[in-house]
Amino acid sequence: MSAYREQWERLLTPRRKTAEGQRQDAMDSVRTPFLADYDRIVFSSSFRRLGRKTQVHPLVRNDHIHNRLTHSLEVSSVGRSLGLYVGEELRLRGDLPEPFTPEHIGQIIQAASLAHDIGNPPFGHAGEEAIRDWFIEASKGEYFRELSPAAIADFVCFDGNAQGFRVINTLENNKDRGGLRLTFPVIGTLVKYPCTAYDAQGMGKCKFNFYAAEQALFAEMFTALGLKGATGFQRHPLSYLLEAADDICYRIIDMEDARELGIISYADITAVMEHLLLSEERDEKRLQTMDSDRRRAGMLRTVAMGRIIVSVAHTFMEQYANIMSGTLENGLLEYAREDVAGFMQAAKSVFDEKIMNDPQKTALEIGTYSLYRRLLDVFVPACFHYVHGAPMSYQETRAITLMGANAPDRKEGAYGACLRVLDFVAGMTDEYATFISRQFSGTSGRG
């Protein structure tokens, strides 16, 4: 028997957490548990709101520019392809236990990829930074006096990955009773940073995947998956493929979007592609017959992704032993073959030097800080005073009313109050957050 067959059996078994405990689904030959997970995510309100959240470029009017929803769909497509290639290699090695097939590997990554950004706040990474900075400043005041260092770390290190874990396991569908109740393999594939914020701080980092509020649930799931080691929890092997799919998409798509907005040129894209594609692979004659740079960039993207997917699948198998033992450091693309590594580095340089420094984008990101300050300055004090039964201003009372089902329970304390604020604010779309912030500032209107 393969050395990894039993390990994969635990990694792939479709258990779910329900109100009654753990349940193992049967592997239906038509609609598998992993396809059911995909459907649950697609029909969730949190996924739907991704259509109004920034990917890279905030509040653009160009319909060709990606948002979080279109990005997630594309990552899902690339992730599925990576899973199919790797799944076939695992099958040939005899590592896939019955009844699992390469298609199931693809389905797991496809579903997880769909939810990988589901916890991101309005305005993307700029929003994450604004939330962190607000809580770093506020952590010196009264709202945090009763919190442990581990609880405080959840807020000063706010991360959309941890919020996403909370969305799928706590907030959606069965609110506070298991969320979407996805299968453990899909949830495990979602997790890039299997630690708390407090543990991440101890390692000199600020990337983590679950709050203290979900720590027990995380431990239960990852123990069931066989991912608890002597020194802590390790990543699910398929999470490396999801991470790679995300990186592949945003490096290519960010350039397409930037070209669409006039931030970079088509020549910038072709220069980056030279690291990856030979001239005959680029089919210059066909490119010249196309009627726009948009179509030309789309064709180059198609050819590049096909090349990269196959290469990254090979890289996974080259690093297979380290991945299965939990000793692989960093992401899979850190070990990519020379052509893919050269392309990714060149694309990163364009992103860092040109796209990120676009004046309009920079100005909007600066404005994001003012927006979040208005929101958090109102909602955090309101929820803090509410759970403590303290006197509340009329503004604070109305803020609790505005939160609706997202308002905290009086028994939740300061930690729960701050989490409920994050649930409400991070769940907003860009436009709704802008509208509410303007209302708080006394400026009427949506536009």
Side-chain angles (χ1 to χ4, degrees), residues 361-380:
K361 175 178 170 58
T362 302
L364 283 168
E365 288 178 341
I366 293 171
T368 297
Y369 271 71
S370 299
L371 179 150
Y372 273 98
R373 180 165 295 280
R374 289 193 198 104
L375 297 177
L376 296 174
D377 278 350
V378 171
F379 287 116
V380 171

Side-chain angles (χ1 to χ4, degrees), residues 331-352:
L332 196 59
L333 289 173
E334 294 289 325
Y335 306 90
R337 294 179 176 182
E338 185 176 354
D339 56 344
V340 173
F343 165 81
M344 295 297 289
Q345 183 56 50
K348 182 178 185 301
S349 295
V350 170
F351 182 81
D352 291 343

